[in-house]
Amino acid sequence: AVVSTQSTGKKKKKKPQKGKDERVEEDESEDEATRLETLRRRTMALMRKTAQYASDTGVSLVNKATGLGGDYPIHRADIVDPDRFKSFLDTLEREKVAAVKTKYENSVRCESYVSRPEYLQSDHKPVIALLEVTVDSSVPAAVRFTSDKFVWKKGKDLITTFTVEKSAEVSSWDWVCLAETNWSDTNKHYLVYDYVTVGKGKVKFTRMAHPGRAKTLQVVYNSSKMSAPVALATVACEL
C-alpha cells in the first residue's frame, strides 16, 4: 500500500530570536535582582545582630549598674520593619534609663546648679553642679589600696599595693599618682605618676620622688575607662 502525504502549505512559525541588546538587558535585570536580594539578606542579618547586641549590652549594663536587668525579647517584626527596629532600640534605651532611675533616683540630690555665661571663648557655656550622692557601702569597691596609710621614709622607694575586684575592668592605661592633699584634678595636680601593670597589683615610686621633708600626700588610682579617680590612700612622708 502506498501512503501519500500532502503538504498543507502552512509553515510552522519560528519563535522570534532575541536580539543581543535584549539578552544583555535581561541578564542585567537578573543580576540586579540577585544583588538586591543579597543586599536585603545581609541587611536583615546585620539588623538582627545589632538588635541582639543592643539587647545583650542593655541587659549587661543594667545588671552591672542596678542588678535589675531582665531579658528583652526580640521579635522578627522588630528586625524586618525599620520603624519597629528603631522603636525597639528606643524602648531598650528607655528600659535601661527606667531601671537606673528606679535604683538611684533617691540616691542623688542636687545642692546647687549654676551656669557661667560670662565665659566667651565658646558658645558652649559651662555649668557647675554640687551633688550629694548616697554610696551603697554593701557594694565592694572595684579598686582598693591595701592600706589606708602608707609610710614613705626618705632614701627608700615607696611601693603602693592595691587589690582589684574580679568584675572590675582595669587597663594598662590606668595610672597611679601622688598628689597634694588639696588636689581637685589629678590630671593637673599630680606630682609624679606611673602606669599600672595589669595583674601586678602594685606601683613603685623611686626614692628620688620623695619630697625631702615630712609631709602628707595622697596616692590616687585613676581609671582610664571612667576618666576619674576610683581609689585613694594617705602617704606619710618621713625623714
Side-chain angles (χ1 to χ4, degrees), residues 4-238:
S4 63
T5 58
Q6 259 188 345
S7 173
T8 60
K10 294 182 180 179
K11 293 183 179 180
K12 188 176 180 181
K13 292 184 179 180
K14 293 183 179 180
K15 188 175 181 180
Q17 297 292 324
K18 292 183 179 180
K20 184 178 180 181
D21 293 341
E22 291 179 350
R23 290 198 298 272
V24 170
E25 289 179 1
E26 188 175 280
D27 291 342
E28 289 180 348
S29 177
E30 291 178 357
D31 290 343
E32 179 67 10
T34 302
R35 188 184 71 81
L36 291 175
E37 176 61 19
T38 301
L39 181 61
R40 186 190 71 82
R41 291 186 178 184
R42 288 179 177 176
T43 302
M44 290 283 294
L46 179 60
M47 292 174 70
R48 186 178 295 108
K49 288 181 179 179
T50 302
Q52 189 62 55
Y53 174 79
S55 177
D56 293 344
T57 304
V59 171
S60 175
L61 288 174
V62 172
N63 271 325
K64 186 174 291 186
T66 67
L68 301 176
D71 293 329
Y72 299 105
I74 302 174
H75 302 288
R76 187 175 184 275
D78 294 328
I79 302 171
V80 176
D81 186 340
D83 291 332
R84 286 194 59 164
F85 178 71
K86 182 177 182 301
S87 177
F88 167 78
L89 296 182
D90 292 341
T91 301
L92 182 63
E93 187 65 26
R94 287 196 299 272
E95 291 285 345
K96 289 191 292 184
V97 171
V100 173
K101 183 179 179 181
T102 300
K103 181 73 174 181
Y104 295 112
E105 62 181 346
N106 296 320
S107 300
V108 180
R109 186 164 63 90
C110 183
E111 297 283 353
S112 65
Y113 181 86
V114 295
S115 64
R116 301 299 298 269
E118 66 270 21
Y119 287 93
L120 305 178
Q121 290 90 337
S122 170
D123 58 345
H124 298 278
K125 304 305 180 184
V127 296
I128 302 171
L130 178 62
L131 306 175
E132 180 183 337
V133 181
T134 302
V135 178
D136 187 352
S137 58
S138 65
V139 178
V143 179
R144 184 190 299 273
F145 284 103
T146 56
S147 175
D148 293 331
K149 181 179 180 179
F150 294 96
V151 177
W152 191 9
K153 292 187 176 294
K154 184 178 179 181
K156 300 289 185 180
D157 294 338
L158 170 65
I159 298 178
T160 59
T161 54
F162 55 87
T163 59
V164 179
E165 283 292 312
K166 291 181 179 180
S167 59
E169 298 182 24
V170 297
S171 164
S172 57
W173 289 106
D174 292 355
W175 52 291
V176 176
C177 71
L178 296 176
E180 301 282 356
T181 55
N182 61 345
W183 65 270
S184 59
D185 184 349
T186 51
N187 289 288
K188 297 178 180 179
H189 303 149
Y190 68 86
L191 301 174
V192 61
Y193 75 93
D194 197 5
Y195 286 107
V196 169
T197 301
V198 177
K200 195 172 182 180
K202 63 180 180 180
V203 169
K204 182 176 74 171
F205 298 98
T206 66
R207 65 196 72 181
M208 300 297 293
H210 192 283
R213 57 190 178 90
K215 67 179 303 184
T216 301
L217 301 175
Q218 286 186 337
V219 56
V220 187
Y221 186 106
N222 299 273
S223 168
S224 58
K225 184 178 181 62
M226 298 179 65
S227 298
V230 295
L232 61 83
T234 300
V235 176
C237 302
E238 298 179 354

